[in-house]
Amino acid sequence: QVQLRQSGPGLVKPSQTLSLTCAISGDSVSSSTSVWNWLRHSPSRGLEWLGRTYYRSKWYNDYAGSVKSRITVSPDTSTNQFSLQLKSVTPEDTAVYYCARDPGYAISIFDIWDQGTMVAVS
Amino acid sequence: QSALTQPPSASGSPGQSVTISCTGTSSDVGRYDYVSWYQHHPGKAPKLIIYDVTKRPSGVPDRFSGSKSGNTASLTVSGLQAEDEADYYCMSNAGKDPYVLGTGTKVTVL
């Protein structure tokens, strides 16, 4: 059974970097089929996909245009985790952040999510 | 890429049906049969309930069904139950943009 468990601070100061980590159990961050994603939800912006990382003989990353200049999603194969770094945060980045798996057996779906972490920028 | 448009709210009495629309464009919903739907109870992990427009993952009741016509996809919940009260989001592939999400619909069971 695949599970994701997120960790990271719930409060970040404006202009600093938001950092979250998602630990994977039951699958591998280096899987040749799975894709590992970050999303967030806020009342003002709704549910928004932020970025992803995946391995297909080499590592790939894709990012949403709205955060492309500030975001890094990276794998950690030694701990089977992937992380989110969002630089220069503002109060607009206050949201519930989710990590999620796209399993690769269909196009563009998220079959496993964590419960989310509320991050406030203040 | 703009978000897919959903009605903010929908409601129905227990046992009735409710249908939620998800309107995109010819670049996303209209172009690809890669629409998925998610049920989200606040404080819990969102749950995949429909993918590839009409397919249900194992364990999802057949009360949940999906369809698509042109640029609009729909989710129908038949035989509404109290536990169906939740937020529902659609999502589509849009080529260069792998995940385009809907604005979300809050379903209330009256």
Side-chain angles (χ1 to χ4, degrees):
Chain A
Q1 181 184 359
V2 180
Q3 290 186 318
L4 301 175
R5 187 170 62 215
Q6 200 185 135
S7 59
L11 182 63
V12 182
K13 295 184 187 308
S15 80
Q16 294 191 342
T17 297
L18 182 160
S19 296
L20 297 170
T21 298
C22 187
I24 304 165
S25 58
D27 197 352
S28 171
V29 71
S30 304
S31 164
S32 59
T33 55
S34 298
V35 178
W36 306 100
N37 296 268
W38 287 98
L39 302 94
R40 66 183 178 185
H41 180 271
S42 65
S44 59
R45 302 174 71 97
L47 188 59
E48 179 184 17
W49 173 75
L50 299 175
R52 65 181 182 176
T53 188
Y54 58 100
Y55 185 76
R56 302 289 185 268
S57 301
K58 68 175 186 175
W59 289 101
Y60 292 87
N61 297 102
D62 296 302
Y63 302 123
S66 60
V67 293
K68 194 167 188 175
S69 63
R70 301 190 291 130
I71 188 174
T72 303
V73 177
S74 52
D76 184 340
T77 57
S78 65
T79 58
N80 203 30
Q81 298 177 337
F82 64 106
S83 63
L84 166 70
Q85 288 199 312
L86 190 64
K87 299 185 294 189
S88 306
V89 296
T90 72
E92 280 281 298
D93 294 309
T94 294
V96 178
Y97 285 75
Y98 297 94
C99 53
R101 181 184 80 160
D102 178 342
Y105 63 74
I107 302 296
S108 296
I109 68 170
F110 299 130
D111 69 335
I112 306 291
W113 301 63
D114 79 307
Q115 292 196 334
T117 294
M118 177 66 202
V119 179
V121 178
S122 178
Chain B
Q1 182 68 44
S2 298
L4 308 176
T5 301
Q6 298 178 235
S9 62
S11 62
S13 299
Q16 290 187 331
S17 295
V18 65
T19 296
I20 303 165
S21 62
C22 169
T23 301
T25 69
S26 57
S27 297
D28 41 59
V29 175
R31 184 166 186 173
Y32 303 101
D33 286 338
Y34 301 138
V35 177
S36 52
W37 289 90
Y38 301 85
Q39 178 191 61
H40 185 211
H41 291 103
K44 294 191 173 182
K47 177 184 177 183
L48 174 67
I49 55 174
I50 294 287
Y51 69 99
D52 288 356
V53 179
T54 60
K55 297 176 182 175
R56 277 188 312 277
S58 174
V60 174
D62 60 6
R63 304 187 292 104
F64 294 91
S65 61
S67 63
K68 190 184 89 167
S69 178
N71 296 337
T72 298
S74 298
L75 172 72
T76 297
V77 186
S78 305
L80 266 176
Q81 299 181 4
E83 60 261 35
D84 299 332
E85 185 162 296
D87 297 323
Y88 291 82
Y89 293 89
C90 62
M91 186 171 79
S92 176
N93 181 279
K96 275 175 39 178
D97 294 301
Y99 313 107
V100 180
L101 284 141
T103 51
T105 299
K106 181 175 180 58
V107 169
T108 302
V109 180
L110 302 171

